[in-house]
Amino acid sequence: MLPWQTIIYLTLFAFQAHIAGEIMDIEPDLKAGKRTTATLIGRKNTKLLMLFLLALETFILAYWFQDYVLAGFLGVFSLWLIADVFILFKEKPYTIYQMKLFGIAMNVSAILSMIWVLYSGKLLQPVF
């Protein structure tokens, strides 16, 4: 049985990953009449929600698991998201090329993080 702290972290991570997909699908979802978090609260607010979830995940990884590698990675991603929200893209949609690039980057980072999680075993032994 996984520790409850791990389940909380993984739940937040799954929600954050889902939100990332919603951000990229806003235009098609609006055209199809789909009601998602991103279509209801808008691109910027959804990115801010994602930033909040990333910050919470980073805290959990650092405090509950003392996994500074994964927490550092999410911290760097949070900095990128801050630049995205306030400087680079703001409310603008991503181009197809940018979405493909971000998708590749997210998949590579997901694979690397899975390797790290399996190697370190830190999510199995919370310190808290």
Side-chain angles (χ1 to χ4, degrees):
M1 178 73 173
L2 287 174
W4 64 267
Q5 296 95 331
T6 304
I7 293 170
I8 289 175
Y9 166 74
L10 291 174
T11 300
L12 292 170
F13 180 82
F15 186 48
Q16 174 257 123
H18 183 79
I19 291 289
E22 283 189 15
I23 291 168
M24 293 191 185
D25 289 342
I26 289 176
E27 284 72 25
D29 286 348
L30 286 171
K31 285 179 185 175
K34 290 177 84 176
R35 293 172 46 104
T36 66
T37 302
T39 62
L40 292 174
I41 68 173
R43 187 178 321 276
K44 186 173 183 178
N45 287 334
T46 305
K47 288 179 183 180
L48 291 173
L49 173 60
M50 187 172 165
L51 184 60
F52 171 76
L53 292 170
L54 281 167
L56 189 55
E57 290 171 58
T58 302
F59 173 79
I60 287 171
L61 287 168
Y63 183 72
W64 284 354
F65 298 100
Q66 294 181 351
D67 188 343
Y68 303 114
V69 172
L70 201 51
F73 173 76
L74 289 182
V76 168
F77 183 55
S78 296
L79 292 175
W80 160 255
L81 194 55
I82 289 169
D84 179 309
V85 171
F86 295 107
I87 300 166
L88 300 171
F89 295 100
K90 300 177 185 174
E91 293 276 349
K92 295 184 295 189
Y94 303 123
T95 66
I96 298 295
Y97 174 78
Q98 290 164 337
M99 282 193 269
K100 287 180 180 180
L101 183 65
F102 296 158
I104 291 168
M106 283 190 281
N107 283 312
V108 168
S109 63
I111 290 168
L112 292 175
S113 67
M114 284 188 277
I115 291 168
W116 171 253
V117 166
L118 290 170
Y119 170 78
S120 71
K122 292 203 178 244
L123 290 182
L124 298 176
Q125 299 176 359
V127 180
F128 171 71

